């Protein structure tokens, strides 16, 4: 067991003993617990341990990308494209774009081996873009994503407890969602190994469910159910509105969201120079192929109109094809959403942790539990906001208007890659993508930011943009001028002792860690 105890009668200095059951590096070095956020001795304070391997990395990418969307409502793309053929083309192109974006992130992640993904890379465009990303993501995007996924989980878990006529009441769904978030944050705070084990299990379960759908689809194809999939009919009626395809891409890319998740935990990845690009190259094409095959399978059992009218496409598909085993699909959706929520919580906590470590959030959020060596305060903070977001009646529409912000920051991140190529051509790059790839991703990002606003202009986009800029109200006094209210030190020490956490710093990977 890890033991934390006062040494040599020096108030506020503790030593962290080695652990045997996973967690942090057994450094055995003294760490000040006085709230100043600076390690002492030779600088080797508490830090996160590299214990996420290749398989867990792939599971994090795949498990976070595959949420409820492909099971519940893959109809958003079809609504905008107006044809089966074009919807499949958009699904394929979304996978290609996600892969190209992830390859750009692989280069950045091996050149800048810090956790935090966009936050760490946007620093090279200046501290303000990085801060605005952290502000928007930690307050809105990350916790709201966790809440939405948890609500999907709550809806499917609550369903069996209530009559099919009325359905579960909203309060019951929110209760199950809140319980899911609490369980997930407990697992993530307790152990990195527990969190990755949960991710691996639920990823395997959802992959099995998708394979079942694909196998059934192949059987129906062999039986000749190809009415809506033949080239002569599948492209009939395709939309000619160029900007409508921007909305279609948004819908498709929402299902691919999570392609950048591994970059949030680079500091905990074993051999990141090898495993980061390898996990990306394996994980994202795997998801792309699965999404295409699952959509093809759906159209073997349903017409486009029936798919658009279905509230839960996978459940409708199962009811028509699996007979008495149709109950597998609701269970699969519950497993899928729980796994996606776990992955979202895992990475959201790391973003908050890294932002606080750089001085862009309150100091307590940058600290690590001295026994569990997880970013305990950051994880609790994110889950607290996510649970608060369950209280309003409907916040999903608000989140949709923040979606353009994600691609605004993705584009900025790829721009940072191009800037680094220009300013630092001498830097060693274990992965160096062809220059055309980041240029394509940057152009696509600009299109995806502008197209929805042109196609369906709304004041909410302006409000979302103003919220992003509102972060500067806090940046100027607390970050730029480094103003610290007198009471903050006492609050930091109080929570530090209450939560048993200690300051940490970033350390460059040692040679043996990347060998």
């Amino acid at each position: 067991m890890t033991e934390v105890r006062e040494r040599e009668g020096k108030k506020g200095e503790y030593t962290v003993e080695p652990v045997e059951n996973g967690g942090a590096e057994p450094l055995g070095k003294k760490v000040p617990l006085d709230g100043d956020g600076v390690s002492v001795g030779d600088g080797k304070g508490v830090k996160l341990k590299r214990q996420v391997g290749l398989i867990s990395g792939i599971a994090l990418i795949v498990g976070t990308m595959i949420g409820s969307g492909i099971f519940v409502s893959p109809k958003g793309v079809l609504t905008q494209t107006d044809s089966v053929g074009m919807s499949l083309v958009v699904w394929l192109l979304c996978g290609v774009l996600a892969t190209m974006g992830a390859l750009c992130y692989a280069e950045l992640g091996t050149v800048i081996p810090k956790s935090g993904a966009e936050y760490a890379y946007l620093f090279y465009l200046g501290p303000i873009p990085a801060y605005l990303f952290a502000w928007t993501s930690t307050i809105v995007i990350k916790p709201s994503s966790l809440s939405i996924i948890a609500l999907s989980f709550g809806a499917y878990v609550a369903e069996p407890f209530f009559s099919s006529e009325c359905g579960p009441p909203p309060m019951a769904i929110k209760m199950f969602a809140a319980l899911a978030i609490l369980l997930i944050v407990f697992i993530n705070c307790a152990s990195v190994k527990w969190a990755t084990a949960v991710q691996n299990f639920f990823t395997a379960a959802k992959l099995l469910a998708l394979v079942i759908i694909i196998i059934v689809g192949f059987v129906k194809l062999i039986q000749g159910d190809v009415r809506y999939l033949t080239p002569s009919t599948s492209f009939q009626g395709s939309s000619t509105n160029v900007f409508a395809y921007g909305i279609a891409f948004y819908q498709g890319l929402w299902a691919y969201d999570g392609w950048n998740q591994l970059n949030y935990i680079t500091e905990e990845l074993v051999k990141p120079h090898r495993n980061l690009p390898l996990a990306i190259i394996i994980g994202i094409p795997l998801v792309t192929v699965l999404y295409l095959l699952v959509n093809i399978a759906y159209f073997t059992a349903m017409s486009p109109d029936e798919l658009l009218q279905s509230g839960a496409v996978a459940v409708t598909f199962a009811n028509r094809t699996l007979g008495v085993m149709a109950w597998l699909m609701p269970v699969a959706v519950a497993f899928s959403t729980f796994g996606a929520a776990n992955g979202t919580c895992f990475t959201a906590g790391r973003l908050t942790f890294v932002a606080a470590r750089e001085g862009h959030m309150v100091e307590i959020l940058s600290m690590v539990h001295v026994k569990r060596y997880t970013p305990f305060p950051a994880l609790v903070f994110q889950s607290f906001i996510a649970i608060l977001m369950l209280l309003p009646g409907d916040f999903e529409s608000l989140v949709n208007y923040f979606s353009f912000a994600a691609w605004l920051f993705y584009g900025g991140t790829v721009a940072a890659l191009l800037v680094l190529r220009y300013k630092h051509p001498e830097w060693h790059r274990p992965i160096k993508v062809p220059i055309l790839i980041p240029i394509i991703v940057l152009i696509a990002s600009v299109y995806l930011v502008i197209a929805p606003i042109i196609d369906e202009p709304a004041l909410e986009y302006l409000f979302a943009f103003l919220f992003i800029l509102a972060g500067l109200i806090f940046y100027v006094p607390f970050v730029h001028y480094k103003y610290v209210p007198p009471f903050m030190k006492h609050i930091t020490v109080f929570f530090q002792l209450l939560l048993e956490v200690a300051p940490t710093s970033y350390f460059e990977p040692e040679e043996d860690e990347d060998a």
Side-chain angles (χ1 to χ4, degrees), residues 100-419:
M100 290 195 295
L103 288 174
C104 295
Y105 275 51
E107 176 177 329
L108 287 166
T110 52
V111 173
I112 308 167
K114 288 186 177 183
S115 294
E118 293 88 356
Y119 176 79
Y121 313 143
L122 286 169
F123 249 109
Y124 289 85
L125 295 180
I128 291 179
Y131 172 83
L132 292 179
F133 170 77
W135 157 261
T136 307
S137 295
T138 57
I139 302 299
V140 177
I141 296 176
K142 290 292 184 181
S144 62
S145 295
L146 178 56
S147 295
I148 290 171
I149 298 169
L151 283 171
S152 296
F153 170 83
Y156 275 85
V157 172
E159 188 73 35
F161 297 97
F162 299 91
S163 65
S164 57
E165 296 179 359
C166 300
M171 184 54 65
I173 293 174
K174 291 179 180 181
M175 287 295 295
F176 280 111
L179 288 173
I181 293 173
L182 290 173
L183 177 58
I184 287 168
V185 75
F186 170 77
I187 293 169
N188 278 267
C189 288
S191 169
V192 172
K193 288 185 176 179
W194 287 11
T196 54
V198 167
Q199 193 67 27
N200 294 349
F201 172 78
F202 283 100
T203 298
K206 68 179 72 178
L207 287 177
L208 179 60
L210 291 179
V211 168
I212 291 172
I213 294 174
I214 291 168
I215 291 174
V216 173
F218 270 121
V219 171
K220 293 188 74 62
L221 283 174
I222 293 171
Q223 293 173 346
D225 292 318
V226 294
R227 177 182 174 186
Y228 305 106
L229 297 169
T230 55
S232 59
T233 59
S234 61
F235 287 92
Q236 289 180 358
S238 297
S239 175
T240 56
N241 183 352
V242 175
F243 294 110
Y245 285 95
I247 305 293
F249 269 94
Y250 259 125
Q251 298 290 339
L253 289 167
W254 178 259
Y256 283 96
D257 193 40
W259 53 266
N260 59 338
Q261 294 299 291
L262 204 56
N263 292 72
Y264 282 97
I265 63 161
T266 307
E267 293 171 36
E268 296 169 81
L269 190 63
V270 176
K271 299 179 181 177
H273 289 174
R274 169 185 177 271
N275 289 338
L276 177 61
L278 196 56
I280 287 169
I281 292 168
I282 294 172
I284 300 176
L286 173 63
V287 174
T288 303
V289 171
L290 288 172
Y291 278 0
L292 276 173
L293 294 178
V294 167
N295 273 282
I296 290 171
Y298 287 154
F299 288 117
T300 64
M302 286 177 279
S303 69
D305 290 337
E306 288 171 333
L307 187 141
L308 291 173
Q309 292 170 7
S310 173
V313 178
V315 175
T316 304
F317 178 86
N319 289 335
R320 294 189 177 187
T321 59
L322 297 182
V324 294
M325 299 301 291
W327 59 268
L328 282 173
M329 277 308 127
V331 173
V333 176
F335 276 28
S336 182
T337 49
F338 190 88
N342 180 72
T344 301
C345 180
F346 191 90
T347 56
R350 270 63 183 177
L351 171 60
T352 307
F353 163 76
V354 173
R357 190 178 64 189
E358 297 292 340
H360 285 181
M361 295 282 170
V362 293
E363 185 185 359
I364 188 65
L365 298 178
S366 71
M367 299 189 185
V368 173
H369 197 278
V370 294
K371 295 180 180 179
R372 299 294 180 180
Y373 295 86
T374 54
F376 191 99
L379 289 165
V380 171
F381 175 74
Q382 284 291 293
S383 61
F384 176 72
I385 296 178
I387 291 174
L388 285 182
M389 286 185 166
L390 296 175
L391 299 178
D394 176 32
F395 67 91
E396 293 187 32
S397 57
L398 173 65
V399 176
N400 291 336
Y401 292 113
F402 274 91
S403 296
F404 86 98
W407 280 97
L408 182 68
F409 290 120
Y410 292 158
T413 302
V414 175
L417 184 151
L418 296 172
V419 169

Side-chain angles (χ1 to χ4, degrees), residues 473-495:
I473 296 172
F474 298 95
Y475 177 85
V476 173
F478 300 117
V479 179
H480 182 72
Y481 288 106
K482 297 180 172 58
Y483 172 71
V484 179
F487 59 83
M488 276 306 299
K489 183 174 182 179
H490 301 291
I491 293 175
T492 301
V493 172
F494 171 77
F495 281 108

